[in-house]
C-alpha cells in the first residue's frame, strides 16, 4: 500500500506570521478570530500550518507590540475550545453535537444552532458546563451539509408568488422557501423533493427549488417513493442502464463452458422464500466412493455479465444493494439480470461461481475448491417444502405448503440430500455456537397485502430448520472464501464483512432493562458475554418481552460493515468472513467474486485504498437501505392500524422518554406512542433510573416492560405518526 504524502505547509503564506496576524487584527479590530479563521484567511488548512499559527499567537501574547491591539483577544483565541462533530437535531429545535473528543455529547440550545441541520458536520465552540455537568456549546461553522435534498409537502402561498416546502419528519425546524417559478408546477399539498440552494445570512428559511414531484401526499405510491427519496434511493433505472442491460448476450456458449468446471450433471436444487423471484444460490450434493459428501454452494456469476467501466456497473455500484420495502423490492440490477440470466431457475443452465467442499459425517471440511462453473438446477423448493421433508423424513410435499397447490412427491435422491444437508448443518451450527456465535432469531413481522397493497393481516416469520440449513452453508462459503484469500502469500486486498465486539456501556444498559423481567447477564469475559446473551435470547422465546429484548440485544451489538481491514466477525465467531453468496443484491459480493477470480488467475493484489473507498460506500448504502426498509414497515403499521381505530389492544411498554411512552402491541408488533400530556389521571415525571413515568400524586408507575391496554388515537400516514390513547394497565 502506498503511503499518502504529507501536504507541505504553504511557506510563502505563513512565512511572516507575526506581521500578517497583526495586520488582520488591526484591519478587523472589532471582530474576534480563532486560529482556524486566521488559517482560512491565509488560505491554509493543514495541521502543520495551524500549529504554526497557534505558536505564533502564543508568542505574540507576551510581546509588547501586542499593545497595538487587544491582548485579551489573543487570550480568547488561545483558550477557546473548537471541535468538530456531527449535529444530531432534536424535535424541539435544540440538539447535540457528537464529537470524538468527548465521551458525552455536547448540548446545543436552539438559539445556538446557527442554521445547522440534522447530520451536518459542524465546528462547535464548547464554552461552559450545563447543570448536571453536561457539556454545552455553540455551532460556529457548518463544515459540510449532510444532505441538500429533502422530501416534504409543498404549500403554495395564497398570492401564488411563492411556496414553502414543509419537510417530512421532526428533525428540521424550518421550511424551505421556493419561488413560484421553481416549483415544477407542483400543486398545493403535493409531496415533492426539494434541493436547498442557499441560506442568506438574515433569512429565517433557506431557499430551494423543487426537483421532483412525487404525487399527492397520503397516496400509497407517493409515500413509498417519498421514503426512497428521503434517503436518496432510486425507484427506477435510467433508460441508458436498461438499454445497456438489454444488449447483453445472455446465451450459454460452448466456448465459455470450456473455461469452467462443468457441474451440470450434479444433483442441484434451490431453497428460497415461496415468493422469491431471484434465486442467487443453489446447493449440489453427491455421495463419494470414499464416504465423503461433495457439497457445492453455487452462486450466480453476476460478474460475468456486470463488467467494470460500464453504465450498468456504475449504476450497480451507486445502488450497492437491493432495497426490500414492505410491498416491493428495488433491485440493484435490472430485472433481465436479477430475475433472468442471474437467477438459478429450475431446469435452466446457468453460469455460476462455486465453493465446493468434501465433508465427512462430522461436518469436517476435508477438501475445498473455488472457481467458475456451469450448473443446472434440477428442482426449486420453498422453505416450507424443504421443512416438510425435514420434519417428515420423507419425499412427500403436502398440499398446504406445495408451490403447485397440490400434494406431490419429490425425487427421493433430492429428499435424501436435503435430510443429509440438514444433519450436517445442525452439526456446523452447534460447533459455531460452542465457539461463541450469538443466535439472533428475531421474529420478523410480515404484512399480508391485497392487490392494491393495502394490509389485510399480519403474520410472523420465524427461522426453521430449512432456513438454518441454507444459512449454514452460505456462512460456510462466505467464511472459507474469506479465509482462502486471507491466507494467500503475499497478502492480498479483499473485501471483508467485519463485526466488532459489543459496546460495554450498551451491555450495561441492556442489563438494566432485562433485570426488569427477571433475567441476568454475565459480562466477565468475551465468552461469558456470548453465552449469556444466547441464554437470554433463548429464555425470552415466546415471552411477551421477546421482541423488545431481541431488539435491544441487537442494538448492543456493533454495526457490521465492509472493509479491507479484517478484524473478524464477533457475532458469528469467525476470524475470517466476507460476503460472497448474494451478488444479485449486494455489490460487495460482486467485488469479492472479482477479487477471488483475480487471485485464482495469479494476478497481483488490488489497490487497497480504492477498495476501502468502495467498502465505505457500500456500508453507507446498506445503512440507508435499512432505514428505508424500517420506515416502510412503520408506514404499513400505521396504514394497518387505521382500520382498527375503535379496538383495544394489549401492548408492552417498549420505551420510556420524558415526552411519553412507546407501546408495542403484542398481537401485531405495531408500535406507537402515548404522549405524557395525554395521560390525564396525574402529572407524570420521567424517572430515567427506573425506566418509568411516575405520577406525582398517585405514585402510579408506567415502567418499561409493563403490559398496558391502548387504543388508536391517531394514525397519520403523511407524518408517519402512530399515537395511542392509554386505557390503563392490563390486568390478567
Amino acid at each position: 500500500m502506498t503511503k499518502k504524502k504529507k501536504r507541505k505547509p504553504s511557506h510563502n503564506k505563513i512565512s511572516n506570521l507575526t506581521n500578517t496576524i497583526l495586520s488582520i487584527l488591526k484591519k478587523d479590530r472589532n471582530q474576534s478570530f480563532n486560529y482556524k479563521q486566521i488559517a482560512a484567511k491565509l488560505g491554509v488548512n493543514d495541521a502543520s500550518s495551524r500549529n504554526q499559527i497557534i505558536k505564533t499567537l502564543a508568542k505574540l501574547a507576551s510581546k509588547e507590540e501586542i499593545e497595538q491591539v487587544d491582548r485579551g483577544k489573543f487570550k480568547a483565541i488561545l483558550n477557546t475550545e473548537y471541535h468538530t462533530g456531527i449535529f444530531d437535531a432534536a424535535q424541539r429545535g435544540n440538539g447535540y453535537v457528537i464529537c470524538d473528543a468527548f465521551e458525552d455529547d455536547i448540548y446545543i440550545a436552539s438559539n445556538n444552532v446557527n442554521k445547522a441541520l440534522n447530520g451536518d458536520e459542524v465546528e462547535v465552540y464548547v464554552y461552559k458546563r450545563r447543570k448536571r455537568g453536561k457539556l454545552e456549546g455553540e455551532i460556529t461553522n457548518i463544515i459540510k451539509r449532510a444532505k441538500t435534498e429533502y422530501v416534504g409537502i409543498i404549500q403554495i402561498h395564497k398570492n401564488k408568488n411563492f411556496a414553502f416546502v414543509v419537510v417530512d419528519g421532526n428533525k428540521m425546524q424550518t421550511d424551505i422557501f421556493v419561488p413560484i417559478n421553481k416549483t415544477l408546477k407542483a400543486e398545493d399539498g403535493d409531496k415533492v423533493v426539494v434541493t436547498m440552494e442557499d441560506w442568506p445570512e438574515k433569512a429565517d428559511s433557506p431557499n430551494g427549488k423543487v426537483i421532483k414531484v412525487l404525487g399527492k401526499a397520503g397516496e400509497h405510491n407517493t409515500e413509498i417513493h417519498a421514503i426512497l427519496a428521503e434517503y436518496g434511493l432510486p425507484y427506477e433505472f435510467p433508460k441508458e442502464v436498461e438499454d445497456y442491460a438489454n444488449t447483453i448476450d445472455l446465451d450459454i456458449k460452448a466456448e465459455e463452458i470450456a473455461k469452467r468446471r462443468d457441474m451440470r450433471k450434479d444433483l442441484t436444487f434451490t431453497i428460497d422464500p415461496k415468493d422469491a423471484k431471484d434465486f442467487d444460490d443453489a446447493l449440489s450434493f453427491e455421495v463419494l466412493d470414499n464416504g465423503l459428501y461433495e457439497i457445492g454452494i453455487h452462486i450466480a456469476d453476476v460478474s460475468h455479465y456486470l463488467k467494470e467501466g460500464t453504465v450498468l456497473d456504475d449504476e450497480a455500484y451507486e445502488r450497492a444493494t437491493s432495497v426490500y420495502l414492505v410491498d416491493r423490492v428495488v433491485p440493484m440490477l435490472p430485472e433481465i439480470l436479477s430475475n433472468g440470466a442471474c437467477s438459478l431457475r429450475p431446469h435452466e443452465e446457468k453460469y455460476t461461481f462455486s465453493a465446493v467442499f468434501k465433508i465427512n459425517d462430522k461436518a469436517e471440511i476435508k477438501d475445498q475448491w473455488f472457481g467458475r462453473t456451469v450448473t443446472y438446477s434440477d428442482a426449486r423448493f420453498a422453505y416450507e417444502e424443504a421443512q416438510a421433508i425435514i420434519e417428515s423424513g420423507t419425499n412427500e410435499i403436502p398440499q398446504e405448503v406445495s408451490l403447485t397447490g397440490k400434494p406431490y412427491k419429490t425425487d427421493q435422491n433430492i429428499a435424501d440430500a436435503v435430510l443429509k444437508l440438514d444433519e450436517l448443518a445442525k452439526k456446523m451450527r452447534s460447533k459455531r455456537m460452542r465457539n461463541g456465535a450469538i443466535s439472533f432469531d428475531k421474529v420478523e413481522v410480515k404484512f399480508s397485502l391485497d392487490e392494491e397493497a393495502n394490509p389485510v393481516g399480519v403474520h410472523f416469520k420465524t427461522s426453521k430448520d430449512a432456513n438454518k440449513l441454507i444459512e449454514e452453508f452460505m456462512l460456510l462459503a462466505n467464511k472459507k472464501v474469506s479465509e482462502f484469500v486471507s491466507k494467500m502469500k503475499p497478502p492480498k486486498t479483499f473485501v471483508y464483512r467485519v463485526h466488532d465486539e459489543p459496546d460495554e456501556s450498551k451491555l450495561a444498559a441492556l442489563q438494566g432493562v432485562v433485570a426488569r423481567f427477571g433475567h441476568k447477564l454475565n459480562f466477565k469475559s468475551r465468552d461469558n458475554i456470548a453465552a449469556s446473551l444466547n441464554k437470554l435470547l433463548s429464555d425470552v422465546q415466546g415471552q411477551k418481552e421477546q421482541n423488545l429484548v431481541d431488539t435491544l440485544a441487537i442494538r448492543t451489538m456493533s454495526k457490521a460493515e465492509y472493509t479491507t481491514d479484517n478484524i473478524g466477525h464477533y457475532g458469528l465467531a469467525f476470524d475470517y468472513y466476507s460476503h460472497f453468496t448474494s451478488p444479485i443484491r449486494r455489490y460487495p459480493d460482486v467485488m469479492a467474486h472479482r477479487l477471488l477470480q483475480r487471485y485464482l488467475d495469479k494476478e497481483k493484489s488490488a489497490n487497497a485504498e480504492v477498495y476501502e473507498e468502495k467498502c465505505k460506500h457500500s456500508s453507507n448504502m446498506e445503512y440507508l437501505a435499512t432505514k428505508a426498509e424500517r420506515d416502510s414497515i412503520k408506514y404499513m403499521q400505521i396504514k394497518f392500524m387505521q382500520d382498527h381505530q375503535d379496538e383495544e389492544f394489549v401492548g408492552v411498554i417498549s420505551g420510556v422518554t420524558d415526552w411519553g411512552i412507546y407501546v408495542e402491541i403484542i398481537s401485531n408488533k405495531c408500535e406507537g406512542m402515548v404522549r405524557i400530556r395525554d395521560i390525564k389521571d396525574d402529572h407524570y415525571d420521567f424517572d430515567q433510573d427506573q425506566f418509568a413515568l411516575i405520577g406525582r400524586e398517585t405514585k402510579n408507575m408506567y415502567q418499561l416492560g409493563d403490559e398496558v391496554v391502548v387504543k388508536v388515537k391517531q394514525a397519520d400516514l403523511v407524518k408517519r405518526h402512530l399515537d395511542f390513547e392509554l386505557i390503563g394497565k392490563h390486568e390478567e
Side-chain angles (χ1 to χ4, degrees):
M1 188 189 303
T2 56
K3 291 185 178 178
K4 289 184 179 178
K5 292 182 179 179
K6 292 184 178 178
R7 184 182 293 174
K8 294 180 180 179
S10 181
H11 291 294
N12 61 326
K13 291 182 179 177
I14 63 171
S15 57
N16 193 357
L17 275 178
T18 301
N19 291 337
T20 305
I21 291 173
L22 285 172
S23 65
I24 290 172
L25 293 174
K26 287 176 185 176
K27 184 177 179 180
D28 299 302
R29 187 176 292 274
N30 296 322
Q31 185 176 345
S32 293
F33 290 98
N34 63 50
Y35 67 89
K36 289 184 181 178
Q37 290 165 324
I38 291 174
K41 278 187 170 286
L42 293 174
V44 294
N45 60 6
D46 57 282
S48 176
S49 296
R50 289 201 300 268
N51 287 335
Q52 284 184 254
I53 291 169
I54 293 169
K55 289 176 183 177
T56 304
L57 288 168
K59 290 177 182 177
L60 278 172
S62 61
K63 289 188 175 183
E64 288 188 8
E65 59 191 300
I66 207 65
E67 298 298 339
Q68 300 171 57
V69 292
D70 181 7
R71 178 181 266 112
K73 189 177 287 188
F74 282 96
K75 291 180 179 177
I77 290 169
L78 294 172
N79 292 332
T80 301
E81 284 193 64
Y82 289 88
H83 299 274
T84 59
I86 303 298
F87 180 57
D88 182 12
Q91 57 183 331
R92 296 176 183 174
N94 55 358
Y96 294 85
V97 172
I98 303 162
C99 178
D100 290 340
F102 299 100
E103 192 171 319
D104 295 325
D105 298 340
I106 304 157
Y107 174 77
I108 310 293
S110 56
N111 60 326
N112 289 328
V113 168
N114 294 329
K115 298 180 180 176
L117 299 174
N118 187 57
D120 287 352
E121 183 182 356
V122 298
E123 180 183 77
V124 59
Y125 164 37
V126 183
Y127 58 85
K128 68 175 182 180
R129 298 261 171 180
R130 292 177 72 215
K131 58 184 179 180
R132 300 181 188 170
K134 299 289 184 182
L135 293 168
E136 186 165 351
E138 177 180 353
I139 292 172
T140 53
N141 187 29
I142 295 157
I143 298 169
K144 184 180 179 183
R145 290 284 185 198
K147 57 192 291 188
T148 56
E149 293 182 7
Y150 293 88
V151 177
I153 297 173
I154 195 165
Q155 296 178 347
I156 309 290
H157 193 264
K158 59 184 177 182
N159 65 16
K160 310 257 175 138
N161 289 332
F162 62 89
F164 283 98
V165 174
V166 182
V167 175
D168 285 357
N170 54 19
K171 292 278 191 177
M172 191 160 170
Q173 299 303 307
T174 181
D175 304 333
I176 298 176
F177 175 83
V178 181
I180 202 67
N181 64 343
K182 293 186 176 182
T183 61
L184 271 187
K185 298 183 179 179
E187 297 180 359
D188 189 65
D190 279 350
K191 188 153 278 196
V192 300
V193 182
V194 60
T195 185
M196 197 169 74
E197 295 186 311
D198 66 346
W199 197 335
E201 190 173 336
K202 295 184 179 180
D204 292 333
S205 298
N207 297 327
K209 71 174 180 179
V210 174
I211 58 173
K212 186 174 287 188
V213 179
L214 299 173
K216 282 296 174 191
E219 292 181 357
H220 179 76
N221 269 339
T222 298
E223 295 302 327
I224 293 295
H225 289 164
I227 289 170
L228 291 167
E230 173 70 25
Y231 299 108
L233 302 171
Y235 55 84
E236 57 192 2
F237 285 98
K239 184 177 184 302
E240 63 268 23
V241 173
E242 291 276 16
D243 288 347
Y244 180 88
N246 289 329
T247 66
I248 296 173
D249 185 354
L250 306 179
D251 292 337
I252 304 295
K253 297 185 178 298
E255 56 266 32
E256 179 62 31
I257 291 174
K259 301 174 187 175
R260 297 168 176 262
R261 179 173 171 177
D262 190 343
M263 300 187 72
R264 287 175 292 178
K265 292 183 179 179
D266 290 54
L267 181 68
T268 303
F269 52 90
T270 62
I271 304 175
D272 291 280
K274 61 184 176 184
D275 56 354
K277 294 184 176 65
D278 58 334
F279 315 127
D280 55 8
D281 58 79
L283 295 176
S284 65
F285 182 84
E286 182 182 357
V287 181
L288 302 177
D289 293 338
N290 59 6
L292 298 179
Y293 307 102
E294 184 175 84
I295 297 168
I297 296 113
H298 307 289
I299 310 302
D301 190 1
V302 173
S303 60
H304 173 78
Y305 301 101
L306 193 64
K307 301 299 185 184
E308 292 183 88
T310 63
V311 291
L312 181 61
D313 187 54
D314 291 344
E315 181 71 15
Y317 170 71
E318 285 302 320
R319 294 181 177 225
T321 181
S322 295
V323 185
Y324 291 83
L325 301 181
V326 71
D327 70 331
R328 70 193 70 186
V329 177
V330 182
M332 184 181 81
L333 299 173
E335 189 172 321
I336 194 170
L337 292 179
S338 61
N339 294 359
C342 296
S343 185
L344 309 185
R345 297 181 298 202
H347 313 303
E348 293 182 12
E349 296 177 342
K350 297 288 179 179
Y351 295 141
T352 42
F353 211 137
S354 303
V356 183
F357 302 99
K358 292 178 181 176
I359 302 177
N360 66 15
D361 269 314
K362 295 180 181 178
E364 296 169 334
I365 310 298
K366 294 301 180 182
D367 192 23
Q368 62 184 26
W369 178 90
F370 306 104
R372 282 182 153 142
T373 53
V374 59
T375 51
Y376 178 90
S377 175
D378 297 291
R380 181 241 162 154
F381 295 98
Y383 279 119
E384 292 81 1
E385 291 178 309
Q387 186 65 30
I389 294 171
I390 292 168
E391 289 179 1
S392 69
T394 71
N395 65 342
E396 296 180 6
I397 309 297
Q399 180 177 342
E400 57 267 24
V401 299
S402 170
L403 284 172
T404 66
K406 298 177 181 178
Y408 73 96
K409 289 185 178 183
T410 189
D411 185 284
Q412 187 61 50
N413 290 328
I414 294 179
D416 291 342
V418 169
L419 292 169
K420 177 53 71 174
L421 289 168
D422 174 59
E423 179 188 318
L424 295 171
K426 284 170 178 167
K427 290 176 181 177
M428 290 192 292
R429 181 179 176 84
S430 177
K431 181 180 178 181
R432 194 163 56 81
M433 301 309 292
R434 288 196 304 272
N435 288 342
I438 300 170
S439 175
F440 289 111
D441 287 334
K442 193 174 185 299
V443 174
E444 195 176 341
V445 180
K446 291 285 186 181
F447 288 93
S448 302
L449 306 178
D450 64 17
E451 291 180 356
E452 296 178 349
N454 294 309
V456 293
V458 177
H459 59 276
F460 303 132
K461 182 181 170 186
T462 55
S463 184
K464 294 186 176 181
D465 288 342
N467 304 81
K468 292 173 182 177
L469 182 162
I470 294 298
E471 179 186 22
E472 287 305 320
F473 282 100
M474 296 307 114
L475 289 175
L476 176 65
N478 288 336
K479 172 187 173 183
K480 288 299 183 180
V481 164
S482 187
E483 183 180 330
F484 175 69
V485 176
S486 296
K487 292 184 176 181
M488 286 181 173
K489 301 294 181 186
K492 301 289 192 290
T493 296
F494 203 56
V495 174
Y496 298 97
R497 178 70 167 178
V498 302
H499 184 225
D500 208 348
E501 295 186 9
D503 182 270
E504 289 183 8
S505 62
K506 289 182 178 179
L507 287 172
L510 177 64
Q511 170 70 78
V513 173
V514 301
R516 280 276 305 121
F517 302 98
H519 305 292
K520 289 184 178 180
L521 294 171
N522 180 354
F523 298 147
K524 289 181 180 178
S525 71
R526 175 183 169 136
D527 291 342
N528 284 336
I529 291 172
S532 193
L533 281 172
N534 279 329
K535 183 177 185 306
L536 171 68
L537 295 169
S538 174
D539 288 348
V540 299
Q541 289 281 325
Q543 302 299 311
K544 68 184 183 203
E545 70 269 22
Q546 179 182 350
N547 205 45
L548 169 63
V549 173
D550 285 351
T551 301
L552 293 175
I554 290 171
R555 288 177 185 170
T556 66
M557 296 290 107
S558 301
K559 191 160 68 75
E561 61 186 8
Y562 299 105
T563 179
T564 57
D565 182 19
N566 182 35
I567 61 168
H569 196 293
Y570 176 82
L572 294 172
F574 287 163
D575 291 329
Y576 308 96
Y577 191 66
S578 297
H579 273 169
F580 175 80
T581 54
S582 294
I584 288 178
R585 62 184 178 90
R586 293 189 305 228
Y587 197 82
D589 302 54
V590 177
M591 292 193 284
H593 282 215
R594 287 173 177 164
L595 289 172
L596 175 57
Q597 187 59 52
R598 178 189 183 113
Y599 303 143
L600 289 172
D601 292 339
K602 307 299 182 185
E603 294 182 30
K604 67 178 183 179
S605 182
N607 186 304
E609 289 184 7
V610 169
Y611 273 90
E612 184 62 26
E613 190 61 35
K614 290 180 177 182
C615 285
K616 287 179 180 176
H617 171 73
S618 297
S619 295
N620 182 56
M621 294 307 293
E622 177 192 33
Y623 169 74
L624 295 176
T626 300
K627 293 193 77 169
E629 289 161 14
R630 287 174 182 164
D631 281 4
S632 77
I633 292 169
K634 179 69 175 177
Y635 166 81
M636 198 58 77
Q637 287 178 336
I638 296 167
K639 198 171 187 179
F640 179 75
M641 293 304 290
Q642 279 185 327
D643 294 330
H644 299 273
Q645 301 246 9
D646 297 325
E647 299 174 38
E648 292 185 0
F649 295 92
V650 177
V652 177
I653 296 178
S654 55
V656 186
T657 69
D658 56 1
W659 58 85
I661 56 175
Y662 290 93
V663 177
E664 181 186 81
I665 295 173
I666 293 172
S667 61
N668 57 34
K669 308 300 180 191
C670 294
E671 186 181 63
M673 161 157 275
V674 176
R675 299 185 185 276
I676 197 168
R677 63 173 180 263
D678 293 334
I679 308 176
K680 303 294 187 184
D681 65 338
D682 200 346
H683 184 98
Y684 283 83
D685 296 308
F686 173 49
D687 187 320
Q688 189 171 355
D689 295 331
Q690 296 194 69
F691 304 100
L693 295 182
I694 302 175
R696 289 183 184 177
E697 299 295 329
T698 61
K699 302 303 177 188
N700 192 21
M701 182 185 294
Y702 291 102
Q703 195 168 29
L704 188 74
D706 283 352
E707 286 192 5
V708 293
V709 180
V710 294
K711 191 161 75 170
V712 176
K713 179 187 177 187
Q714 184 181 29
D716 190 327
L717 272 179
V718 176
K719 292 183 178 178
R720 288 184 224 136
H721 285 174
L722 181 57
D723 288 334
F724 289 149
E725 175 188 340
L726 182 65
I727 306 300
K729 289 192 176 180
H730 179 236
E731 305 295 337
E732 294 184 16

